[in-house]
Amino acid sequence: MSDKFIINPTGPLRGDVYISGAKNAVLPVLAATLLTGQDCVVQNVPRLSDVESMCGLLASLGAGTQWDAASGSLIVRAGGLNLCEAAYEWVGKLRASFLVIGPMLARLGRAKVPLPGGCAIGSRPVDLHLKGLAALGADIDHTHGYISVSAKKLTGAKIYLDFPSVGATESIMMAASLAEGQTIMENCAVEPEIVDLANFLNAAGADIRGAGTDTVKINGTRELRGVDHTVIPDRIEAGTFMVAAALTRGDIHLTNVMADHLKPVTAKLKEVNIHVTETETGLRVYHDPSQEVIAADIKTLPYPGFPTDMQSLFMSLMATAQGTSIITETVFENRFMQVGELKRMGADIKIESRSAVIEGVRRLAGAQVQASDLRAGAGLMLAALTAEGTTELSGTEHIDRGYCALETQLNQLGADIKRVIA
Ligand code: EPZ
């Protein structure tokens, strides 16, 4: 029996919500602290289980971490880095642990990291990470489920990424920061989290230009210094609350957001008749009762396309929209795990290859459902907010990986969600 959320429907959610620092920005930044022997302070760090796992990994490598509860910042003392092997337990808990391979290689000349397994949403290969490290001069060995990399020195290279992989772009950017000479990365990812990582590295003395575009130039430097860095807000957490306002036909004001990072989500919400307006301190998302929420098609794409991490959230919204919507998932090969659970709640969804065809129904019905991964779980929680009757959502650990007490924040906006410890 796992912990679960008991969710009862209430009316429209209304009020203010403060968005935390971005999980997918803080994880690569924490890995990047290993590139310097000096202390780093990372601010606006969300208290997530994924962050706790990354801190555990850093500590296991000799890089101590210390929370400053008052300011919500994290101090990383990477000077203590004395181990070049990451234990399986950490990579098993957190796939993003693999991001330490580039910094350890660059700082110590070698690294041994378990090959991350797949997860619910796909096989999650790391071939593009390794192709980039090899181009920089690393020897790569894969035995017994571990990837070992070594290099007497790293030398800048021209690297073309077959796919604009976020993680591979981050791995190569971190390793190239301490390589000799210039690295040019082409067809790389342009997500805001890449820009945040480049800002962290440049503040530490790196020379990275073009982050946020598909061509990034990195002139390697001999060493990096400690920095004090504030992580960008979490655009997916923000998108989650934007969809919560839309789905419950409510009115929510989000603060600590960067509107530019949310353009694809804002555009799609406006397309389905939800109002999104910029305020002096953030974004207001609300529904005009005189308008129906209508169906719209979605195709997930690398940034600045519609984010794959928002796909399940939007599917929950389309489940009771007026009309038929088609959601096509182009980034991960198995990211419709929430469909079966939504159908148990009465949704009318058919999967055809990489697309889901959704016929909006008047209202969903509460049911016992299971979260399979972080965003699928969040999508089911939102769907339950307006379903008729009680919903029991199991798999709270998935949601806790990416949200700081999502149920508490939704309850403060008028929801009725109880966490039951098994
Ligand atoms: C990051 O994962 C995010 N995680 C994911 O968020 C996000 O969904 C994803 O980027 C896409 O935006 C973190 O930042 C910690 P990718 P990442 O490498 O880096 C293929 C969440 O819910 N690929 O851009 O793993 C891969 O199979 C998580 O917060 C290769 O083929 O994403 C996938 O189909 C889920 N070879 C596609 O690229 C590689 O070497 C996108 O993967 C690497 C990736």
Side-chain angles (χ1 to χ4, degrees):
M1 263 272 277
S2 73
D3 295 357
K4 57 189 168 188
F5 291 115
I6 309 294
I7 307 158
N8 287 304
T10 55
L13 297 189
R14 290 197 178 90
D16 293 305
V17 65
Y18 182 87
I19 300 302
S20 310
K23 168 178 83 82
N24 292 348
V26 73
L27 293 175
V29 161
L30 289 176
T33 62
L34 296 177
L35 287 164
T36 171
Q38 298 179 4
D39 290 0
C40 292
V41 178
V42 186
Q43 314 238 18
N44 199 26
V45 178
R47 293 301 295 250
L48 303 169
S49 58
D50 272 7
V51 173
E52 298 293 352
S53 297
M54 182 60 92
C55 289
L57 167 60
L58 294 180
S60 74
L61 299 170
T65 60
Q66 185 186 343
W67 282 100
D68 176 338
S71 63
S73 61
L74 197 58
I75 301 163
V76 184
R77 297 194 167 81
L81 176 64
N82 56 19
L83 193 64
C84 66
E85 180 172 340
Y88 177 73
E89 65 172 297
W90 300 112
V91 179
K93 270 186 195 165
L94 172 66
R95 293 193 69 269
S97 303
F98 192 73
L99 289 171
V100 299
I101 195 166
M104 284 203 290
L105 171 67
R107 178 100 177 278
L108 302 175
R110 65 191 191 286
K112 186 177 177 186
V113 181
L115 183 69
C119 69
I121 64 177
S123 59
R124 312 295 294 275
V126 291
D127 57 310
L128 298 177
H129 297 241
L130 299 178
K131 178 179 171 184
L133 298 181
L136 296 172
D139 295 323
I140 294 173
D141 179 44
H142 175 192
T143 47
H144 306 301
Y146 276 80
I147 298 286
S148 299
V149 291
S150 62
K152 287 193 177 46
K153 72 171 179 160
L154 295 176
T155 307
K158 195 165 185 180
I159 301 166
Y160 185 90
L161 282 175
D162 302 343
F163 178 88
S165 154
V166 170
T169 301
E170 292 165 345
S171 283
I172 297 165
M173 183 185 281
M174 290 188 280
S177 296
L178 291 181
E180 192 175 281
Q182 183 178 70
T183 295
I184 299 176
M185 238 191 317
E186 293 181 303
N187 193 35
C188 55
V190 302
E191 273 72 0
E193 292 76 23
I194 303 288
V195 176
D196 203 31
L197 176 62
N199 290 340
F200 171 87
L201 292 168
N202 282 337
D207 178 1
I208 300 170
R209 298 165 198 197
T213 74
D214 65 2
T215 302
V216 174
K217 289 183 181 172
I218 303 139
N219 296 308
T221 51
R222 288 181 55 77
E223 62 179 9
L224 298 178
R225 56 181 176 270
V227 292
D228 185 325
H229 178 78
T230 299
V231 163
I232 56 172
D234 193 316
R235 60 193 169 99
I236 307 302
E237 183 191 22
T240 302
F241 285 102
M242 293 170 81
V243 171
L247 206 147
T248 63
R249 312 304 189 255
D251 186 341
I252 297 178
H253 184 239
L254 294 82
T255 53
N256 191 40
V257 290
M258 296 177 86
D260 270 1
H261 295 171
L262 287 157
K263 278 185 179 172
V265 177
T266 297
K268 202 45 79 171
L269 284 172
K270 287 181 175 176
E271 200 179 318
V272 302
N273 281 344
I274 293 296
H275 296 270
V276 182
T277 53
E278 286 198 47
T279 67
E280 278 181 23
T281 55
L283 281 180
R284 182 188 170 208
V285 185
Y286 62 99
H287 170 251
D288 175 345
S290 67
Q291 291 179 313
E292 284 292 329
V293 172
I294 57 174
D297 294 343
I298 295 257
K299 178 185 251 190
T300 67
L301 288 167
Y303 194 87
F306 190 89
T308 174
D309 292 347
M310 285 299 302
Q311 179 257 103
S312 59
L313 288 310
F314 221 81
M315 184 180 287
S316 291
L317 177 61
M318 292 295 96
T320 56
Q322 194 177 64
T324 306
S325 57
I326 299 175
I327 295 184
T328 303
E329 173 58 59
T330 71
V331 177
F332 288 106
E333 70 266 28
N334 186 39
R335 205 167 194 178
F336 284 147
M337 301 282 282
Q338 76 279 10
V339 169
E341 300 303 292
L342 281 174
K343 289 172 75 169
R344 301 184 70 247
M345 297 176 73
D348 179 352
I349 307 174
K350 291 180 188 60
I351 294 178
E352 294 169 7
S353 179
R354 297 197 72 153
S355 292
V357 180
I358 302 137
E359 298 289 346
V361 296
R362 192 185 62 78
R363 193 176 183 192
L364 297 179
Q368 289 170 307
V369 290
Q370 171 73 43
S372 52
D373 61 271
L374 164 56
R375 307 300 175 186
L380 290 169
M381 183 179 275
L382 295 195
L385 293 174
T386 57
E388 191 164 6
T390 301
T391 295
E392 291 188 12
L393 171 57
S394 302
T396 57
E397 67 280 4
H398 292 291
I399 294 173
D400 293 341
R401 288 190 47 212
Y403 296 92
C404 310
L406 181 58
E407 80 275 17
T408 306
Q409 291 176 298
L410 289 171
N411 286 340
Q412 284 165 354
L413 295 166
D416 173 8
I417 307 171
K418 290 180 188 60
R419 181 189 288 254
V420 174
I421 312 297

